[in-house]
Amino acid sequence: MSDSAQKPLPFGFQFLAGAIAGVSEILVMYPLDVVKTRAQLSTGANTGIITTMSNMVKNEGAASLYRGILPPIMVEAPKRATKFAANEQYTALYKKMFGFEKVTQSLSVMTGVSAGITEAFLIVPFELVKVRMQDKRNLGKYNGTADTFKKIIASEGALALFNGLEATMWRHAVWNGAYFGLIFTVKDNMPKSKDPNQQRITNFAAGTVGGIVATAFNTPFDVVKTRIQGYDGVGVKKYNWTLPALATVAKEEGMASLYRGFLPKVLRLGPGGGILLVVFETVSGFIRKNILKE
Ligand SMILES: *[C@@H]1O[C@H](CO)[C@@H](O)[C@H](O)[C@H]1NC(C)=O
Ligand SMILES: *[C@@H]1O[C@H](CO)[C@@H](O)[C@H](O)[C@H]1NC(C)=O
């Protein structure tokens, strides 16, 4: 099905396979995202992943593990398109601006950071609605995704959907910077191989290591983003700008609190990456066989 001489799928099909893979990953891994958000919103003692999940199932029903899944699914395809287009455009722009001849590590870091910031604009309203739906304090407040959008706009104004934009930009810029910087270095230092299976293993290993390190760097920004987006306009607005908010969390709850939700975030990476890979390959194979008749 996947011999080494295979040429890549036409872009439209590649995009489709990527989007299906992305949605599949969300469908399987989403409960970890709910647990992550709950941990980041909490200011008290950390409860473990298993305890959080079993309490949710017991007190709120099994469906609660999937509450808020629609916004990330809705934005998955547009997010991929944006990421791809931004990567192309920034690579071309920076090559011209700074006279890079080929893709180097610093170029790939710069491009990754810029693409991450661009992506943040698109996803932030969807992230905000997701966080509100995941928040335990909002049980019984919102009736599904459309209702959450409507109620936020009605009571807080449309601009409220962009709360947390700055923190999201930080989160993405830091993640992409660390990830692309590392991937480049790891791949550069791995033995080159023509064997597609070996290449796949190399890519998967580089992606996983890159993902773990990038997550270690960006989790504090994710904590602050969740806190900012969780504020629903009632009571004191505790967090405004990202850097002071980091200091506030560290001062009030201790440095370790900047890593709330780290474990569920990291646990998603390996299996999540595996799902992306397998679904992408499977869908690509299906398209080649049944649509392109290769
Ligand atoms: C959600 O919808 C149900 C059925 O339409 C309704 O009874 C309930 O009051 C609604 N809850 C909220 C919080 O809007
Ligand atoms: C954040 O901004 C709001 C008004 O926009 C202000 O009332 C609040 O005190 C600020 N919070 C902090 C921690 O500066």
Side-chain angles (χ1 to χ4, degrees):
M1 205 164 69
S2 51
D3 58 275
S4 51
Q6 224 161 35
K7 59 182 190 323
L9 288 177
F11 177 73
F13 285 125
Q14 212 182 76
F15 182 79
L16 178 70
I20 293 174
V23 169
S24 309
E25 193 271 347
I26 297 173
L27 288 173
V28 179
M29 304 306 287
Y30 188 78
L32 283 175
D33 195 78
V34 183
V35 172
K36 182 202 80 169
T37 304
R38 293 276 176 110
Q40 294 182 332
L41 286 168
S42 146
T43 52
N46 201 13
T47 32
I49 296 175
I50 302 291
T51 312
T52 306
M53 280 190 181
S54 58
N55 284 342
M56 285 180 72
V57 171
K58 206 164 58 196
N59 302 327
E60 303 166 38
S64 66
L65 295 175
Y66 283 90
R67 191 180 292 126
I69 194 175
L70 213 51
I73 286 183
M74 284 159 66
V75 83
E76 177 62 21
K79 182 171 104 178
R80 277 173 184 274
T82 307
K83 199 196 282 271
F84 179 81
N87 260 317
E88 294 257 290
Q89 297 298 318
Y90 287 119
T91 304
L93 177 71
Y94 294 151
K95 267 186 171 168
K96 215 161 112 189
M97 247 166 80
F98 303 109
F100 286 107
E101 301 265 299
K102 58 182 183 68
V103 179
T104 63
Q105 180 174 33
S106 40
L107 178 62
S108 76
V109 170
M110 276 165 53
T111 304
V113 167
S114 311
I117 290 174
T118 308
E119 188 189 306
F121 271 102
L122 174 76
I123 68 155
V124 86
F126 296 89
E127 285 282 312
L128 186 128
V129 168
K130 185 198 77 177
V131 168
R132 294 294 181 86
M133 293 174 80
Q134 291 174 331
D135 191 342
K136 191 157 71 180
R137 295 170 298 183
N138 295 335
L139 292 179
K141 181 169 173 177
Y142 304 122
N143 244 342
T145 306
D147 185 56
T148 310
F149 267 106
K150 260 191 278 183
K151 281 186 175 137
I152 291 171
I153 293 171
S155 64
E156 302 165 52
L159 269 185
L161 290 172
F162 284 89
N163 283 346
L165 176 63
E166 188 221 356
T168 307
M169 286 177 163
W170 275 102
R171 182 184 81 162
H172 289 211
V174 168
W175 203 91
N176 283 8
Y179 184 79
F180 289 112
L182 214 88
I183 288 277
F184 197 93
T185 311
V186 172
K187 279 199 192 161
D188 226 27
N189 288 299
M190 294 265 240
K192 305 278 177 290
S193 169
K194 287 244 181 301
D195 173 15
N197 281 324
Q198 184 56 47
Q199 282 174 0
R200 217 164 286 149
I201 292 168
T202 305
N203 286 345
F204 188 66
T208 307
V209 172
I212 292 171
V213 175
T215 302
F217 278 102
N218 95 337
T219 296
F221 299 98
D222 195 36
V223 171
V224 163
K225 167 193 163 288
T226 301
R227 295 283 178 95
I228 292 173
Q229 293 188 322
Y231 174 73
D232 64 357
V234 179
V236 186
K237 192 173 179 211
K238 198 162 177 181
Y239 312 104
N240 291 318
W241 297 101
T242 304
L243 298 181
L246 287 173
T248 305
V249 173
K251 200 175 88 195
E252 292 185 346
E253 302 161 39
M255 286 296 271
S257 285
L258 294 174
Y259 278 84
R260 288 182 190 270
F262 178 71
L263 196 60
K265 250 165 100 79
V266 149
L267 285 180
R268 184 175 178 173
L269 291 174
I275 293 168
L276 287 173
L277 207 71
V278 169
V279 175
F280 185 84
E281 294 280 319
T282 308
V283 175
S284 298
F286 180 86
I287 290 171
R288 284 185 202 283
K289 190 158 161 244
N290 296 290
I291 300 177
L292 303 173
K293 315 269 189 219
E294 281 179 8

